[in-house]
Amino acid sequence: MARGQLRVYLGAAPGVGKTMAMLDEGHRRAGRGTDVVVGFAETHGRPLTAEKLHGLELIPRREMSYRGSTFSEMDVDGVLARLPRVVLVDELAHTNVPGSEREKRWQDVELLLEAGIDVISTVNIQHLESVNDVVETITGIPQRETVPDAVVRAADQVELVDMTPEALRRRMAHGNIYAPEKVDAALGNYFRTGNLTALRELALLWLADSVDEGLQRYREQHGIERTWETRERVVVALTGGPEGETLLRRGARIAARATGGEMLALHVARSDGLAGASVASLAAQRVLAESLGASFHSVIGDDIPRALLDFARAHNATQIVLGGSRRSPLRAALTGAGVGATVTRLSGPIDVHMVSHDYIGKGRRLPRLGGGLTPRRRLLGALAGALSLLAITLVLTGLRRHTTLASDALIYLVVVVVVALIGGIFPAVATAVVSALVINWYFAPPIHTFTIYAVDNVVAIIVYVIVAVLVSVIVDIAARRSSEAARASAEAETLFTLAGSLLRGEQALPALLERVLETFGMNAVSLLRRTNEAPGSEGGSQSLRTGTLRGSWMCLASVGDHPCRQPEEGDIEVPVAMGTGDDLALVLRGRPLPAEDRRVLAAFAAEVAVAYQQRLLREAAAEAIPAREADRMRTALLNAVSHDLRSPLAIAKATVSSLRSDEVRWDEADRRQLLASADAALDRLTELVTNLLDLSRLQADVLSVFPRPLGLDEVVAVTVDHLGAPPGLVDVQVPAGLPEVLADPGLLDRVIANIVQNALRYSPPDRPVVLTGSAHGPNVELRVIDRGPGIPEGEREQAFAPFQRRDDRSTTGSPGVGLGLAIARGFTEAMGGSLTMDDTPGGGLTLVISLPRAGASAAREVEDEPVR
């Protein structure tokens, strides 16, 4: 059976019309004779959505029980038994009730697709796994129900259901999305204009990337290599040279001219790993490219023009940015067409930009001959050449009658090769010249004179010198390549270790400095930052928690003995200014470094800049958390004031106005009922204001606690009596013989009252809330047991946060504003106890209040003054 097709309606936020679009598509297909059923459609109480279901066949839902409550889920088996052609399944990211055969609804959809059934579904952008954290950053609300991006990207059709933020807020204000009592809170929180605009852009970008991936797959499947200019993509070719920054900024400007333009920075490395590009320069250019919004890529290829064009075509690039050649005019004339000319000739429809810069035609520095060997090796080569020439000459002069000039020259050539292997080109060339003179003096007739009679002997000696010099050069180049390969391997291993140190937790900056200290064998390494504050000023005494001002420089971090406090105190100073926005310097003390080591040190400095940026971001994030929490609290408080405070005030005001009205004559029963309503509303208002004041005292850390020994059974009995709960709803089973606890009676009364009220709110009316007590070592525990829906273990800590409510339903009236548990935990911890959650056997939630036992020693410590 062929696999079914999946069509997904993607929305930026709830209420944009995804379910309506899905149902419209179902009606359209049913109207043309297709067998369509509704597997699951969530109306959210919206009348227009419910009306849209009329005329479509509904598969009855499957009822499931969990923690004493009943939930309805899609009956997958029923859909498979019905076997329609198309099934409508709402909310693709939904998490099924525990106990279901599959955890997620998208897994149910996969099963239907495997059965050959076409599925039409819906999903919001905040439920996609890849952008879940981004949405939480934008809205401040975590989304726990997610669907893997691969599931949606694999859909045969993904259609965006779009709506402007203003239109969506109008729909919300008209009551077309949420119930009227939720509109104010939603408009002031999740459905703010900025949030909706950001979510809309996120959905558009995600869909654009998905479409682009589909286009790339189509091009690959059909072997299309020609560029399709559907989107401006600019490839900037980097060599690691000083012109790289100019090219990157030029490419960024080109990409910015087109909406949705994209820039890719590319470096083509040689396959032998011996590219002349500076590691530090490439690291700096990578940081700059990323700061400009580009992605950095590195590919391997000996044919640079072809590798560059292959990359550009593979990424459907429309433009390539190259720098003008740095080759000198002489070298350009000798080597022919350069990379720029070759790329321009072979680019086809891809536009090529040749960007001028300050280094055009200035040439590249030629490699220094003999640079691959140490002075000690060259000295050994010279000594080996002198001794070998002496020994060979003594031997060959004794055998002069038995050898020819050609054989003598070959023997001396072997000596030259050996000297080149030991000491490099300079001792080898010297040995070649001296050996030529020796051959002329001792072996070329007339002997013991530099005059040569035979022309062939002259040719032989000249050829010998040329061959000896060429062999010396080749051997030296091979030695230098070997040395470069060894150094490249060592640098790669060092940088690999460096990258690993960056991943070892949050203390990346000290770890990097320790790595610099070990790698280069220094005595101390310091990271300094220039400051504009004058020495001795109050504001400059401390910075970044670890910085201490010394003159105009501040030490951000240091390792080793006697770290430097000023750049001039060190042996080496490396500037660090790669996107940090600060004037930084990495200062090392110990010994001077050769130029080769300074290149690797520059790469370390680039990583230090990244680590410093990460440190600043972590500190900024840590500072932003309280502000974000305060903003969330302020928003929640405004929501509470706008609704939860307004409701009891409105009830009390309406009741008093009715009683004072002369237009209606109230009998005694009606008057008592109106007064009871006003009294209940004012009690609710008093409780809410009291909770808000208690929360402010907890957050300001000004809560006064007067602990003294208390009998837990007495406090529980008084608290339950004051609650006035209907008979049979609270079952107190606290033994009278429990040890006394050390607590503040007023605070403990509030703790028990809030927890019991919370339990009554969610417990079924036929299942009483049970209070039990027991002693455990130095503590006494009071357990408040309910039979409500409970709270999953992963969400329990969040339930103690202020303004957190499980839902808007209750069995005993108003759900409140979600302050009860937060205040209960704060009061309990202020008294030296703890408040935790546990599962109730058989379903429900148990809150455990643990308080310290009032012993003899504890009682003596009680003072008259309040403990703050």
Side-chain angles (χ1 to χ4, degrees), residues 564-586:
C564 304
R565 300 296 179 180
Q566 298 289 334
E568 56 269 17
E569 296 178 8
D571 296 309
I572 301 168
E573 177 189 354
V574 181
V576 180
M578 300 177 184
T580 62
D582 290 320
D583 191 1
L584 305 178
L586 189 65

Side-chain angles (χ1 to χ4, degrees), residues 531-596:
T531 176
N532 294 326
E533 298 173 359
S537 63
E538 295 181 0
S541 59
Q542 294 290 329
S543 177
L544 292 176
R545 304 176 186 171
T546 61
T548 303
L549 188 66
R550 291 286 189 271
S552 60
W553 288 87
M554 185 180 305
C555 183
L556 302 177
S558 61
V559 295
D561 301 331
H562 306 292
C564 304
R565 300 296 179 180
Q566 298 289 334
E568 56 269 17
E569 296 178 8
D571 296 309
I572 301 168
E573 177 189 354
V574 181
V576 180
M578 300 177 184
T580 62
D582 290 320
D583 191 1
L584 305 178
L586 189 65
V587 182
L588 290 75
R589 171 184 288 170
R591 63 183 179 88
L593 286 180
E596 294 82 1

Side-chain angles (χ1 to χ4, degrees), residues 59-228:
I59 300 295
R61 298 184 182 182
R62 183 164 56 110
E63 302 295 331
M64 297 188 63
S65 297
Y66 177 68
R67 294 184 180 272
S69 299
T70 302
F71 302 90
S72 60
E73 293 289 358
M74 179 175 64
D75 187 359
V76 179
D77 294 336
V79 176
L80 292 174
R82 171 65 174 73
L83 201 62
R85 185 69 189 89
V86 178
V87 60
L88 310 182
V89 181
D90 208 1
E91 297 184 352
L92 186 62
H94 171 75
T95 301
N96 293 330
V97 175
S100 302
E101 295 182 9
R102 287 159 293 278
E103 180 183 2
K104 296 286 188 176
R105 183 165 292 163
W106 64 264
Q107 295 171 332
D108 296 336
V109 168
E110 284 292 319
L111 187 63
L112 297 177
L113 293 173
E114 291 295 333
I117 302 174
D118 292 345
V119 178
I120 303 176
S121 188
T122 65
V123 71
N124 277 330
I125 188 66
Q126 68 262 28
H127 295 301
L128 295 179
E129 186 67 48
S130 65
V131 298
N132 183 259
D133 56 339
V134 180
V135 173
E136 182 178 354
T137 302
I138 295 172
T139 64
I141 300 175
Q143 301 290 337
R144 292 179 176 81
E145 291 187 330
T146 59
V147 58
D149 288 48
V151 174
V152 183
R153 291 188 188 277
D156 300 274
Q157 297 181 64
V158 179
E159 182 174 336
L160 179 66
V161 182
D162 191 27
M163 181 175 289
T164 63
E166 294 76 14
L168 186 57
R169 285 173 60 85
R170 283 197 299 271
R171 289 196 64 193
M172 174 69 72
H174 293 160
N176 295 332
I177 301 177
Y178 289 164
E181 62 271 14
K182 295 183 180 180
V183 170
D184 290 340
L187 290 176
N189 191 13
Y190 191 89
F191 284 81
R192 293 196 297 264
T193 302
N195 286 359
L196 296 177
T197 302
L199 292 174
R200 186 187 186 199
E201 181 178 4
L202 201 61
L204 291 169
L205 290 175
W206 188 94
L207 187 60
D209 289 339
S210 177
V211 172
D212 191 64
E213 288 181 5
L215 178 61
Q216 289 295 101
R217 287 196 301 268
Y218 179 85
R219 285 164 50 84
E220 292 173 1
Q221 292 170 359
H222 292 77
I224 300 174
E225 296 183 357
R226 186 177 180 84
T227 299
W228 288 2

Side-chain angles (χ1 to χ4, degrees), residues 222-236:
H222 292 77
I224 300 174
E225 296 183 357
R226 186 177 180 84
T227 299
W228 288 2
E229 298 184 11
T230 57
R231 182 177 180 181
E232 287 290 349
R233 282 189 178 85
V234 181
V235 175
V236 179

